[in-house]
Amino acid sequence: MREIENKKETGINGRSSYGELIKNIGEVLDSGRKQASVAINQAIVKTYWEIGKYIIEYEQAGNEKAEYGSETLKRLSRDLTDRYGNGFSWSNVYRMRQLYSAYPIFATLSQKLSWSHFVELLKIEDPLERSFYMKECEQENWGVRELRRQMKSMLFQRLALSKDKNAVLGLAKEGQVIETAESILKDPYIFEFTGLPELPVYKEGDLENALINNLSQFLLELGKGFTYVGRQQRINIGGRIYKVDLVFYHRILKCFVLIDLKRGEVQHEDIGQMNLYLNYYREEMNTEGDTEPIGIVMGAYEDQLMVKYATQNISNQLFVSRYQLYLPDREQLEQEVRRFLNQDNANE
């Protein structure tokens, strides 16, 4: 009896098993559904773009002011809903108009993003910033939730402030490109997802626990290319045990990334300790194909002058950065980016 069951499962005359049949059908179904979903999303975005085009052409022909609450949009919302059903709320019709206004050439629209992505992107007024987030969504396969989080955390502004004008323009055209150790850095890192601001007092271990408990969001904040290795990684040097708070491997730069968390201000001895860790990892942990490890000491505060002298003449890739447990002030960061770009223009 068992032999008969085995024949049913493994097949006859070398044919694939029934389990493989189910697996193959499942893969085809998943692939087909994904392709159908992509095609539907593309059709929806193109349809809404064309509706936006008709609205703007109508307004221009009648010299009507394209105001946020124009009577045309209100009337269209009512009439289209009566005739075609849901999907034509006033805000949705406004976004359709806005889509064409922001992207008058359809080919400039990403074919990988859904209408829900564009609804979020159209909330961004600055074309450079909007283009950056579109590229990142495309390259990193961000869902709408991830996009919202990165927009709220002001990722574009935080990256832009550490770059020159040409690099900022590159962010808008290509997204974040990882080529060097400096490319992965942010200042500050935003850890609002930990919930720690609600605690009156917390320890470094509390922060570490909160980051690991929210690992997917932590990896999203760290950026592209990070793979989690472990926490409190033991190092034995001359019989003394040291522990690295967090260890990652960066698949693009092909190196270990060591992170030490400090609850308050980064001290010079913290930098010296990280340098010790980097030397150990380079000599003892690196294998063939690995590049120089990177160390990041993250603190709530930093004395830039102390950091300058403490890191001077250190050959390892060692960096100090700040973290915040709350979202940055949007207006302040936007002003800093505008001032930065204006200064760069004045120097040309």
Side-chain angles (χ1 to χ4, degrees):
M1 184 66 180
R2 183 62 185 166
E3 186 178 347
I4 294 174
E5 289 178 355
N6 288 338
K7 286 183 179 179
K8 287 181 179 179
E9 184 64 26
T10 59
I12 301 172
N13 298 327
R15 287 186 298 179
S16 61
S17 69
Y18 183 77
E20 288 182 68
L21 174 62
I22 290 291
K23 177 176 175 290
N24 293 336
I25 291 174
E27 290 175 351
V28 170
L29 279 172
D30 288 341
S31 176
R33 286 170 177 169
K34 287 178 183 177
Q35 290 177 27
S37 177
V38 170
I40 290 170
N41 279 327
Q42 289 177 354
I44 289 173
V45 171
K46 190 171 193 304
T47 298
Y48 287 172
W49 179 87
E50 289 178 342
I51 291 173
K53 178 182 179 182
Y54 282 128
I55 293 172
I56 287 181
E57 288 176 347
Y58 173 85
E59 291 171 339
Q60 291 174 341
N63 295 316
E64 181 179 342
K65 290 184 178 179
E67 296 178 353
Y68 187 68
S70 73
E71 287 302 318
T72 297
L73 296 183
K74 294 176 183 177
R75 183 180 176 185
L76 272 174
S77 175
R78 290 193 303 268
D79 293 344
L80 290 173
T81 299
D82 289 343
R83 185 169 298 188
Y84 299 106
N86 295 333
F88 296 99
S89 64
W90 172 83
S91 60
N92 223 25
V93 173
Y94 174 76
R95 293 297 183 201
M96 295 174 198
R97 184 198 178 285
Q98 195 181 17
L99 181 68
Y100 178 78
S101 180
Y103 303 97
I105 302 175
F106 182 75
T108 60
L109 284 170
S110 170
Q111 301 299 300
K112 295 183 178 180
L113 305 189
S114 68
W115 171 243
S116 297
H117 283 99
F118 283 109
V119 168
E120 297 301 320
L121 291 170
L122 290 170
K123 296 174 183 177
I124 303 171
E125 295 183 3
D126 180 27
L128 286 179
E129 183 181 353
R130 192 189 314 119
S131 177
F132 164 76
Y133 285 113
M134 185 173 74
K135 290 292 182 185
E136 287 297 296
C137 280
E138 191 175 40
Q139 293 173 6
E140 300 305 307
N141 294 315
W142 285 353
V144 176
R145 182 179 178 183
E146 287 84 359
L147 171 60
R148 287 197 195 106
R149 194 261 158 187
Q150 294 289 20
M151 287 169 56
K152 284 183 180 178
S153 74
M154 304 287 288
L155 175 61
F156 175 75
Q157 283 78 5
R158 288 186 286 135
L159 290 174
L161 287 172
S162 63
K163 300 178 182 294
D164 58 28
K165 181 183 174 184
N166 289 332
V168 174
L169 295 176
L171 282 177
K173 293 177 181 177
E174 304 171 19
Q176 187 185 13
V177 179
I178 304 297
E179 295 179 335
T180 63
E182 289 84 353
S183 301
I184 70 172
L185 295 175
K186 299 188 181 93
D187 191 11
Y189 289 85
I190 305 299
F191 299 151
E192 91 292 346
F193 52 84
T194 61
L196 286 176
E198 299 175 4
L199 299 178
V201 178
Y202 67 91
K203 301 176 182 178
E204 288 167 8
D206 295 329
L207 176 57
E208 184 182 321
N209 286 334
L211 293 175
I212 296 304
N213 289 338
N214 296 275
L215 186 58
S216 61
Q217 290 177 288
F218 184 30
L219 288 170
L220 189 64
E221 173 59 16
L222 287 177
K224 60 182 70 177
F226 282 86
T227 300
Y228 177 62
V229 174
R231 60 187 296 190
Q232 295 297 308
Q233 297 292 286
R234 293 163 61 89
I235 292 176
N236 188 332
I237 301 178
R240 292 188 62 181
I241 302 298
Y242 302 87
K243 293 180 181 179
V244 188
D245 288 344
L246 297 166
V247 178
F248 296 84
Y249 191 83
H250 201 278
R251 58 181 174 76
I252 300 173
L253 297 179
K254 299 188 184 307
C255 66
F256 287 103
V257 180
L258 316 181
I259 296 178
D260 247 8
L261 301 167
K262 302 302 170 185
R263 183 166 59 88
E265 182 177 346
V266 175
Q267 305 295 325
H268 65 85
E269 53 263 34
D270 300 326
I271 295 172
Q273 189 173 49
M274 176 57 77
N275 195 46
L276 173 72
Y277 296 163
L278 291 173
N279 287 331
Y280 178 87
Y281 263 75
R282 186 183 63 250
E283 296 294 328
E284 303 292 340
M285 302 299 290
N286 271 15
T287 58
E288 186 177 355
D290 289 338
T291 59
E292 293 286 308
I294 297 170
I296 306 174
V297 183
M298 292 187 187
Y301 315 96
E302 64 177 74
D303 180 334
Q304 293 185 356
L305 187 60
M306 182 279 296
V307 171
K308 174 185 175 182
Y309 287 125
T311 56
Q312 207 166 50
N313 296 325
I314 288 180
S315 58
N316 287 319
Q317 300 184 106
L318 195 162
F319 305 94
V320 175
S321 188
R322 295 173 298 125
Y323 64 80
Q324 291 181 193
L325 299 175
Y326 52 86
L327 293 172
D329 183 86
R330 173 173 288 276
E331 184 176 349
Q332 182 181 354
L333 275 182
E334 286 178 343
Q335 287 177 353
E336 289 182 25
V337 172
R338 283 195 293 268
R339 189 183 307 115
F340 159 73
L341 290 174
N342 289 336
Q343 287 176 350
D344 215 41
N345 286 331
N347 292 332
E348 289 182 348

